[in-house]
Amino acid sequence: MTPKSLTSFTASVPNHKSNFVDFTFTAPESAETGESLDGNQLSIHLYKYEGMFEYSDVHTIENVTPGQTYSWRLEGLDFDKAYSFRAVPFVGKEGKGDFSEANVYIGLDYPGSPQNLQCRRQGDGAIVTWEAPALGGRGGNYDLNNTTYTLSRIYSDDTEEIVGQGIKEL
């Protein structure tokens, strides 16, 4: 029997000073054929990408209840490094479902791109607004309190003029 994929799989790091990842997985409720997984030996295996298409098994949750959500923490990871993880449901030893993947960055990431940039004309000038990115450029946490922005005006002839630097206000 082959289980469906996990209903959800997330990996998160609370801040740029943490070197651990919190995982949350929700077990599938049925097999690929549609039959219930109740009464079957269901487990979830968590793998870490090691490079060159190699994954190492870092944790297994045994006796999983179909449809239930589980959490687990992996500690002691290296700072300033991106990690990729896979979670795979199994029925018994042979019934391997499709993997779900999650990526995280441990350490201080650089800011991602500003979101929802808007520019409105006001008199002879313009009002420019944006929102801070939710994540850093590598998908990690960045230091929002120490992030500044540079605002440039680009003309139709591709010349550029910096109109503001060190902007903290959004």
Side-chain angles (χ1 to χ4, degrees):
M1 177 181 291
T2 303
K4 286 187 175 180
S5 298
L6 300 176
T7 305
S8 70
F9 174 51
T10 61
S12 61
V13 180
N15 57 55
H16 67 276
K17 296 177 182 178
S18 300
N19 70 333
F20 60 84
V21 178
D22 288 320
F23 297 97
T24 303
F25 355 74
T26 302
E29 295 185 50
S30 60
E32 288 291 335
T33 58
E35 34 186 330
S36 172
L37 293 175
D38 286 331
N40 288 285
Q41 185 183 356
L42 185 60
S43 62
I44 299 172
H45 296 251
L46 181 64
Y47 300 96
K48 180 176 72 156
Y49 182 70
E50 299 293 346
M52 300 299 292
F53 307 106
E54 295 289 324
Y55 285 84
S56 63
D57 195 343
V58 293
H59 187 67
T60 300
I61 298 174
E62 301 284 352
N63 303 314
V64 169
T65 301
Q68 185 169 330
T69 299
Y70 295 85
S71 296
W72 185 71
R73 178 175 283 177
L74 177 60
E75 297 179 335
L77 296 170
D78 294 332
F79 280 101
D80 302 321
K81 186 173 178 182
Y83 289 90
S84 182
F85 297 95
R86 288 184 173 175
V88 182
F90 280 79
V91 172
K93 300 279 186 221
E94 302 298 322
K96 180 179 177 183
D98 285 335
F99 66 85
S100 299
E101 194 166 64
N103 301 298
V104 294
Y105 184 80
I106 303 293
L108 181 61
D109 200 352
Y110 60 86
S113 298
Q115 303 295 303
N116 301 316
L117 178 68
Q118 294 184 358
C119 184
R120 300 187 317 273
R121 182 181 196 120
Q122 185 174 41
D124 290 338
I127 301 292
V128 180
T129 60
W130 64 88
E131 295 173 12
L135 295 173
R138 294 173 282 218
N141 295 296
Y142 67 100
D143 188 355
L144 178 61
N145 295 331
N146 290 311
T147 298
T148 62
Y149 297 89
T150 299
L151 186 61
S152 300
R153 179 183 298 134
I154 301 175
Y155 296 93
S156 57
D157 66 356
D158 287 333
T159 57
E160 184 175 337
E161 175 187 9
I162 295 177
V163 294
Q165 289 183 306
I167 301 169
K168 284 189 158 252
E169 303 293 322
L170 299 180

